[in-house]
Every structure is written in C-alpha cells, then in structure tokens.
C-alpha cells in the first residue's frame, strides 16, 4: 500500500512537472518575459503598455501611434530631453501592474482606470481622461437588456485583470446569479470582435473604445453603464521616484491648460460618434460592391500626390457615395463632386469620368494642404484642408482668425471645429472678411471622412508607391 501511494505521489509530481514545463514552454511570449529590470545607470525612461487602439499600436507605415504613445513621447521630450524612451509591450492589461512591480518599467501608460484595488498597489498620476464602462451586445442576436437580470444565463466575458471585474463583483453582491468569465491573455477589443461575430453575448468596454468599435461593426450596441464613471491615469510603483511623479502631474496640468490634451483626445476619439449604424452598414456594403471598381484609380492618385488612397476614397464616399453620376442641385458633379471652377482649375473636361475626377480631386486636396500654413502639425493640417475642400479655404481662414480672437489655438483642429460653427452667427461673421458660412457642414464632413478612413484602414491594405512621396499623417 505504501509503495502504491509513493508511486501515485511520483505520478502526481511528474504530471505537475510536465504541466509546468508545457505551461512555460507553450505560453505566448510578451516582451516583458525577456526584458531586464530598469538599469538606473541608463538615461532612459521605460513605459509599459499593451497593444490596442486606445493605447499603442503600429500605424500603416509601421510607425508607433496611439494616444499613450503620443503622451509618453511628449512627456519625455518636455521633461527628460536628454533621455531615450523605451516601451515594454505586454500581452494584456493584467500584466501591466506586475511589470511595474517587478521593476521593469518606470511608468505604466496603458489606459488604466483608477480603482480602489489598484490604488493599494501603485501610485496614480493626475487623471487625464474620464470614461464610462458600458455593456456591449450584438443587436442582431440579442435584445437590449433592461437591467442586469436580463443578462443572467447569457455568456459574458471580460479580460482578466481589468477594472471591469471589480464592477461586476460589486453587481454580483446584489445579483447572486450573475456570472462571467475572466479571460487570460486577451484584450477588450478582441472580446468586442467576438460579440460582433456572435461568439459571445456580452462584454464590457470603456465608452471611448466602444464608440470606436461601433464604427467597424454596426451590429454592436451599448446596453447600460456598468458602475460609475472612472478616471484614467498613468501609474508608478510605490517605491518609484516621487520627483518623476511630480513631473508627470505638472505635464498633465500643462497640456490640459494649453490645449494639447484636448487636441490629442480629438485626434483619436473626436470622430467616433459621427456615424450611425445605418451609415456604417451602407458604407461597408458599398465598400464591397462599388469600391473595387475604383480602387486602382485611388491608388494611382496616391502615387501622384502621396495622399493615402483610403483618405481619398473616404472623401469620395462622403461626397458622392461612389456614385459616378452624382450631381448636386448646385451642379457639383462626379465621384469627387467637383465644382465647375475646380474642374477648370484642375484641367478636367468631364467631371463624370472617374479617370479624370479622382486624380483631379486628389490634386486639389493636395493643393489645399499646401495652402494651409506649413507650421500647422499633421494631422490638423490635413483636417483643415478637408474642411476647405468642403467650404472653401477662405472660411477656414476666417475660423482661424476668430479662434485667435477667442483665445483659442488657430492651429488646432479641435479648436477650429468650435469656431467654424460660429460662422453662421451674425455676432461673429459680420466682423470677419468672408462673412457668413454654414460652418457646421465642414465639421460634419471632416469627422465623417475621418470615420470612413478609419474603417477602410481596418479592412483595406495600404498602398506603397514605388517612389518616395511625402506621407500625409493619418488617424
């Protein structure tokens, strides 16, 4: 009997060892697995983050992008100009705080919400954004739940280590039957995709990510808030440099005051709620049925101008819905909806001919980009050019003049959006050079184009011309 028990113990130990070897050898590797601890002798600031549309990603030129990347880069440039910046990427948000606690990063810039549990582990900076957690569902499969009891018995999943778990745990105290899965090594974006594909009934997402994902999947709907609104901030370990934390707080206070933060938030999220589900459904349908006829022409136009073909296609869709024969009551015509004057300026003899209209529209947009002052950074310069495509550069310049009068930034699209809509108000337009304009129209135009472009960037590959052309910044 003793020998039998000993054999069973050995079997258990062997099995456990085998499972451990398999776990270590088979688990997905993140950069943190082989990242050494911070070297105090090196002049570098190390950030830990994870891939995602609200944190850090590679854009279509394989260059780092994302609001956390932009904020981190600017912080180091402003407060530690002699230091290099380095990012440690982890597989999921559940690995972010452990990476800090292991001493492998100075700062977590990962869209972390401030929660009671997390405050026991780390120090948070001044918050820079507010978000609301929301229940997401597929409106083609499930009806909108009226309350939490309606989702009991359905499949609900959230990423492990998120603040979503904390709020669901609070709800579970009131609704004992509420169950959910905490999924390891995943992210909210992936779970939202599963909801859209009908593989999962519900998930929870921050409001800014939910709005972004609705642009890609018109069958996604928001059911109800989960918990109170939360604030997003950077985090540091509790034994970290307090002077660095003080500098981070100064940085966020500064960019809140000077408009930099407002501009960044607008760049990444300002267009998210412009389209409704019907707009997106129609756009996706026409992307499959009509766009293939003209893709080669948009790519040729990119070769000529250097403007991403998906931006040109988005402009064309917003103008004509890719209807070659589209004509407005004011006789604006064709895929790029050129006026007679613009057509003459660009040498177009037939505005209904896509082979003429598309390159002409692209060249005209490039001309407008070149007209906007070069000191204006991208993508704001392109956004102002797009507004000019819709309403004329003169009125955009009036909006910039008005922005300066109102102590706003005339070089920031986030501020120009505010003054464009004032051009229909006699209190303002009577004091400006070019007078009245329906300034809301170009704002809607630009934000819609931005949304359509983002959708195309998700579903359509980039096109790299064979020669070096300047790149128009996107996002």
């Amino acid at each position: 009997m003793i020998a039998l028990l000993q054999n069973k113990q050995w079997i258990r130990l062997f099995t456990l060892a085998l499972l451990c070897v398999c776990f270590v050898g088979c688990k997905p590797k993140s950069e943190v697995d082989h990242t050494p601890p911070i070297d105090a002798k090196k002049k570098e600031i190390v950030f830990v983050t994870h891939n995602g549309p609200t944190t850090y990603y590679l854009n279509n030129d394989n260059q780092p992008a994302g609001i956390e990347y932009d904020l981190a880069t600017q912080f180091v440039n402003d407060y530690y100009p002699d230091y290099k910046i380095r990012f440690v990427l982890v597989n999921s948000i559940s690995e972010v705080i452990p990476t800090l606690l292991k001493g492998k990063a100075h700062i977590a810039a990962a869209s972390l919400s401030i929660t009671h549990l997390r405050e026991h582990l780390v120090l948070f900076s001044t918050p820079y954004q507010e978000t609301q957690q929301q229940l997401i569902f597929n409106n083609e499969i499930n009806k909108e739940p009226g309350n939490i009891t309606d989702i009991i018995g359905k499949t609900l999943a959230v990423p492990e280590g998120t603040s979503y778990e904390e709020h669901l745990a609070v709800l579970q105290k009131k609704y004992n039957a509420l169950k959910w899965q905490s999924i390891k090594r995943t992210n909210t974006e992936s779970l939202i995709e599963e909801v859209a594909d009908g593989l999962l009934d519900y998930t929870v997402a921050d409001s800014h990510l939910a709005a972004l994902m609705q642009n890609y999947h018109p069958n996604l709907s928001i059911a109800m808030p989960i918990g109170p609104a939360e604030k997003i901030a950077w985090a540091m370990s509790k034994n970290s440099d307090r002077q660095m934390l003080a500098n981070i707080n100064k940085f966020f206070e500064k960019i809140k005051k000077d408009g930099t933060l407002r501009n960044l938030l607008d760049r990444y999220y300002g267009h998210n709620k412009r389209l409704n589900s019907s707009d997106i459904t129609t756009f996706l349908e026409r992307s499959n049925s009509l766009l293939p006829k003209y893709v080669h022409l948009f790519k040729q136009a990119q070769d000529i101008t250097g403007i991403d073909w998906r931006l040109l296609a988005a402009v064309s869709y917003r103008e004509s819905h890719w209807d070659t024969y589209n004509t407005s009551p004011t006789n604006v015509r064709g895929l790029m909806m050129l006026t007679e004057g613009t057509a003459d300026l660009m040498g177009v003899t037939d505005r209904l001919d896509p082979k003429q209209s598309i390159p002409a529209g692209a060249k005209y947009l490039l001309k407008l980009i070149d007209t906007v002052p070069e000191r204006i950074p991208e993508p704001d310069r392109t956004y102002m050019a797009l507004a000019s495509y819709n309403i004329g550069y003169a009125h955009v310049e009036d909006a910039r003049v008005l922005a300066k009068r109102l102590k706003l930034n005339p070089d920031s699209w986030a501020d120009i959006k505010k003054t464009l809509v004032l051009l229909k108000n006699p209190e303002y337009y009577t004091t400006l050079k070019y007078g009245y304009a329906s300034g809301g129209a170009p704002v809607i135009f630009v934000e819609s184009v931005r949304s359509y472009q983002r959708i195309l960037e998700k579903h359509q590959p980039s096109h790299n011309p064979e020669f070096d052309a300047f790149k128009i910044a996107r996002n």
Side-chain angles (χ1 to χ4, degrees), residues 167-183:
H167 289 308
L168 289 173
V170 171
L171 285 172
Q172 193 178 50
K173 292 178 180 178
K174 182 177 180 181
Y175 304 96
N176 294 329
L178 177 64
K179 305 292 182 184
W180 68 91
Q181 294 175 289
S182 295
I183 309 298

Side-chain angles (χ1 to χ4, degrees), residues 31 46-49 56 68-69 72-73 85-89:
E31 192 174 309
V46 184
F47 289 81
V48 57
T49 190
Y56 176 106
E68 295 286 20
Y69 171 80
T73 302
I85 187 171
R86 179 163 62 88
F87 289 87
V88 175
L89 295 177

